[in-house]
Amino acid sequence: MATSQSFFPPFLLGQGYDIHRLVPGRPLMLGGVQVAHSMGSEAHSDGDVVLHALIDALLGARAKGDIGEHFPSSDAAFKEMPSRVMLARILPLVLSDGYAIANVDMTVFLERPKLSPYKQTIQSHVAALLALPVDRVSFKAKTAEKFPPVGSGDAVAASAGILLYRLTP
Ligand code: MG
């Protein structure tokens, strides 16, 4: 009996999750879009949980570590770095060897404010960052039904799933 698999279909699944504490006096960035709110993510970078979850999903699909390894919070060079810059830096690594993104599905967990006025903007913005058509990028928003820490308004969280496919065998 074979002990190692020699053929794999040309698909790679990735998933990512992130959560940040919400504090006064910080911008609330979601998918690279600033959302009007009295609080924002406490973070070394801009604390964009949506793009952080997406970056971890992309890295995860290629088994190339996690966001903390690529952008350590101990390194002053990454302080206040916009997450879209982090995303732009890891994309060539993930989209190497003939891999391309099939689709992305993201969910943000936030009690307030309501994100309905921002959903299409965030979807379009992330699609542009990934050079994908908007119908390949899903952005969903949920509350936490008042359960802390998200539901008490003390945190914002996000999850992301991604499918990569290989263009060349
Ligand atoms: Mg983060």
Side-chain angles (χ1 to χ4, degrees):
M1 198 168 125
T3 53
S4 65
Q5 191 176 338
S6 58
F7 173 78
F8 292 89
F11 303 107
L12 293 172
L13 178 73
Q15 64 85 34
Y17 174 81
D18 195 23
I19 184 167
H20 281 255
R21 186 186 300 275
L22 285 172
V23 293
R26 292 272 306 175
L28 179 58
M29 298 299 295
L30 296 175
V33 174
Q34 185 165 351
V35 170
H37 191 39
S38 57
M39 302 170 92
S41 290
E42 186 176 59
H44 185 68
S45 68
D46 66 1
D48 190 324
V49 285
V50 173
L51 293 188
H52 291 185
L54 180 60
I55 288 168
D56 261 348
L58 286 160
L59 289 170
R62 293 298 307 276
K64 288 184 184 289
D66 60 42
I67 190 169
E69 289 171 33
H70 291 267
F71 305 99
S73 57
S74 55
D75 191 334
F78 305 126
K79 188 157 172 53
E80 303 298 331
M81 176 177 274
S83 299
R84 61 180 160 71
V85 175
M86 298 160 73
L87 177 62
R89 286 204 189 172
I90 66 105
L91 273 179
L93 186 68
V94 171
L95 302 180
S96 58
D97 309 317
Y99 280 97
I101 300 169
N103 74 304
V104 176
D105 186 14
M106 303 169 289
T107 306
V108 67
F109 303 89
L110 181 69
E111 204 68 13
R112 55 186 168 271
K114 291 289 173 214
L115 290 177
S116 352
Y118 294 95
K119 282 161 102 174
Q120 279 192 341
T121 309
I122 294 170
Q123 178 192 21
S124 306
H125 193 255
V126 175
L129 292 177
L130 298 174
L132 286 174
V134 286
D135 65 356
R136 293 299 181 120
V137 177
S138 155
F139 177 76
K140 312 189 301 293
K142 298 182 76 68
T143 69
E145 300 289 343
K146 298 189 168 52
F147 289 110
V150 169
S152 54
D154 293 312
V156 56
S159 66
I162 189 156
L163 186 70
L164 298 182
Y165 65 100
R166 199 172 57 226
L167 293 165
T168 49

